[in-house]
Amino acid sequence: MMKIWRVRLILTGVTTSMSHDDEDRVAQAAWQRVAQTRRIIIKVGSHLLTGGQEHLQRDWIDRRCQEICAILDTGRQVVIVTSGAIAAGAARLHLGRKPVLLREKQAAAAAGQGVLMQCYEEAFVHHGRSVAQILLTREDVAHRRRYLNARDTLETLLMLGLVPIVNENDTVVVEEICFGENDTLAALVAGLIDADLLLLLSDIDGLYDGDPRQSDGQARLIPLVHQVTPDIERLAGGSGSQVGSGGMITKLHAARMAARSGCMTVIANGFCEGVIPKILSGQPSGTLFLSEGDTISSRKRWIANGLRSSGDLCLDEGAVSALLSGRSLLAKGIQRVQGHFDRGAAVRCLSPQGELLARGLVNYSADALRSIAGHHSSEFEAILGFRGDDEVIHRDNLVVLRV
Ligand code: GLU
């Protein structure tokens, strides 16, 4: 019996043995913390908004907005991250199919974003609440100033009692800089404003230990995940519904990003009536992901989540242990440099096995790094003709993602 529980706990990201009772106690305490959360990001997927139809389902939107208003009445703050612009606009393009080309998606988003906002506007106005639209691109969060501006705007709206409604600015993004799905965007917004709960509403009940659509009812829902480990990631199958862009894997990545910012995540079925108040009153529903105790600062969060990496540094074992013990990255421990980037760029640090270990801002360009990789800083001047920083990435500009 104990063996079975151990397997299940490893799956949920816990590697020490914990009894059945202990796990129940941990889950109860975690759900109580959910009931105490004050600042909540609610991400709404496209399939929920359309119910598989061509048009937005106003009834569904009205009912969820009513639930959100009840939450707001308890003094909590809510930011909605909503998909649905492309789905709402697609019908207007009369393509007879889902938009696939980037310019078709951009056109659909342009046609649908207003319709989407109008639905929210009308749903909230019945309850005396005003909404405000925020459209973001990855570039907005990659630049530190724009990232801070977005944060100020959200904070101001919340302080003034409005409901910010966020979506990706699909009309102007190009492939290289788009999020492509709103799970990641929602996790970024959670980190941006220090939310305590990220609620990912989807058309599935949560994370299963198998594919619920293919395992004849054998797949079991995992109620609690302590940490998103590679074992947990392996449980995520391919993309889910026809209309949305994310799948379970993007939700798991979002949960991991949120956890690093000290924010819990719940993945739950948005088609269940009363799902939002149920969760906010601490009644278990879907899969709850715990946050990490040791959270990272806002600036480091920006380095870890906001920036897009321009290259990879492959490290030796010595550099891996230096990074894991909180030290800076030195050129001596770099085995290979991939990509083209300038000084100040964000890069990924990979272990000798190719696993992502850390992200950071480099003090040298890719070309300079190729010359000094494997060398001691005392040799830099002879190699480069100038003596730059001793560290390739200073520990203040480095975020270790795996412990
Ligand atoms: N931003 C897209 C939209 O509004 C949807 C992305 C997603 O499916 O998560 O239609």
Side-chain angles (χ1 to χ4, degrees), residues 30 33-34 37-42 183 186-200 225-228 251-266 288-296 301 305:
R33 288 207 336 262
V34 171
T37 52
R38 310 305 307 160
R39 192 170 262 196
I40 301 128
I41 310 295
I42 301 182
D183 298 319
L188 267 168
V189 172
L192 193 64
I193 57 164
D194 289 319
D196 354 277
L197 181 68
L198 170 62
L199 175 50
L200 299 175
V225 173
H226 294 255
Q227 202 181 6
V228 179
K251 290 179 181 40
L252 295 183
H253 290 164
R256 194 173 54 198
M257 264 168 83
R260 276 188 221 124
S261 327
C263 176
M264 292 182 285
T265 297
V266 173
L288 169 60
F289 297 77
L290 301 184
S291 58
E292 287 173 20
D294 191 11
T295 62
I296 54 177
R301 217 175 286 159
N305 302 332

Side-chain angles (χ1 to χ4, degrees), residues 43 46 82-87 167-168 170 180-182 244-245:
K43 186 261 170 177
S46 301
T82 185
S83 304
I86 297 174
N167 194 4
E168 180 163 16
D170 296 298
E181 39 73 28
N182 278 354
S245 316

Side-chain angles (χ1 to χ4, degrees), residues 136-137 139-151:
L136 293 172
T137 64
E139 281 201 318
D140 295 322
V141 285
H143 291 100
R144 181 81 181 144
R145 270 212 19 223
R146 279 157 73 175
Y147 178 88
L148 295 176
N149 274 341
R151 185 175 75 181

Side-chain angles (χ1 to χ4, degrees), residues 40-319:
I40 301 128
I41 310 295
I42 301 182
K43 186 261 170 177
V44 180
S46 301
H47 192 236
L48 292 174
L49 291 160
T50 60
Q53 309 292 308
E54 268 206 339
H55 300 282
L56 297 179
Q57 302 296 299
R58 282 176 177 253
D59 281 359
W60 185 89
I61 298 176
D62 287 345
R63 290 199 302 277
R64 292 298 86 76
C65 290
Q66 189 178 355
E67 290 177 14
I68 292 172
C69 286
I71 298 302
L72 294 169
D73 290 343
T74 63
R76 291 174 165 106
Q77 295 176 325
V78 173
V79 174
I80 298 176
V81 176
T82 185
S83 304
I86 297 174
R92 294 188 165 193
L93 303 187
H94 301 293
L95 290 173
R97 57 169 168 78
K98 207 177 152 183
V100 263
L101 301 175
L102 179 66
R103 58 194 163 81
E104 290 173 352
K105 289 186 191 167
Q106 290 176 327
Q113 181 62 32
V115 182
L116 180 65
M117 276 312 287
Q118 195 186 356
C119 289
Y120 281 108
E121 175 81 41
E122 287 172 5
F124 277 104
V125 89
H126 280 309
H127 305 279
R129 298 271 174 187
S130 299
V131 298
Q133 169 181 273
I134 299 197
L135 298 177
L136 293 172
T137 64
R138 194 174 257 284
E139 281 201 318
D140 295 322
V141 285
H143 291 100
R144 181 81 181 144
R145 270 212 19 223
R146 279 157 73 175
Y147 178 88
L148 295 176
N149 274 341
R151 185 175 75 181
D152 286 348
T153 309
L154 280 162
E155 289 285 358
T156 308
L157 290 168
L158 290 173
M159 193 183 72
L160 297 173
L162 283 88
V163 184
I165 304 208
V166 181
N167 194 4
E168 180 163 16
N169 197 350
D170 296 298
T171 307
V172 296
V173 286
V174 287
E175 225 122 25
E176 308 80 64
I177 56 153
C178 76
F179 293 106
E181 39 73 28
N182 278 354
D183 298 319
T184 309
L185 177 63
L188 267 168
V189 172
L192 193 64
I193 57 164
D194 289 319
D196 354 277
L197 181 68
L198 170 62
L199 175 50
L200 299 175
L201 289 183
S202 174
D203 53 359
I204 35 163
D205 291 335
L207 176 67
Y208 281 85
D209 63 0
D211 186 341
R213 290 162 303 185
Q214 281 171 14
S215 56
D216 304 324
Q218 295 300 301
R220 283 173 316 151
L221 182 83
I222 298 179
L224 182 70
V225 173
H226 294 255
Q227 202 181 6
V228 179
T229 59
D231 281 338
I232 293 286
E233 285 184 3
R234 270 190 281 278
L235 297 177
S239 188
S241 56
Q242 291 288 307
V243 238
S245 316
M248 186 48 78
I249 194 71
T250 65
K251 290 179 181 40
L252 295 183
H253 290 164
R256 194 173 54 198
M257 264 168 83
R260 276 188 221 124
S261 327
C263 176
M264 292 182 285
T265 297
V266 173
I267 300 178
N269 194 332
F271 282 129
C272 297
E273 285 308 310
V275 65
I276 298 173
K278 186 174 173 199
I279 289 169
L280 269 299
S281 64
Q283 292 176 57
S285 189
T287 303
L288 169 60
F289 297 77
L290 301 184
S291 58
E292 287 173 20
D294 191 11
T295 62
I296 54 177
S297 70
S298 155
R299 186 169 176 285
K300 287 214 168 178
R301 217 175 286 159
W302 168 70
I303 294 172
N305 302 332
L307 291 169
R308 205 178 182 84
S309 306
S310 316
D312 290 341
L313 306 182
C314 307
L315 313 185
D316 65 16
E317 290 294 355

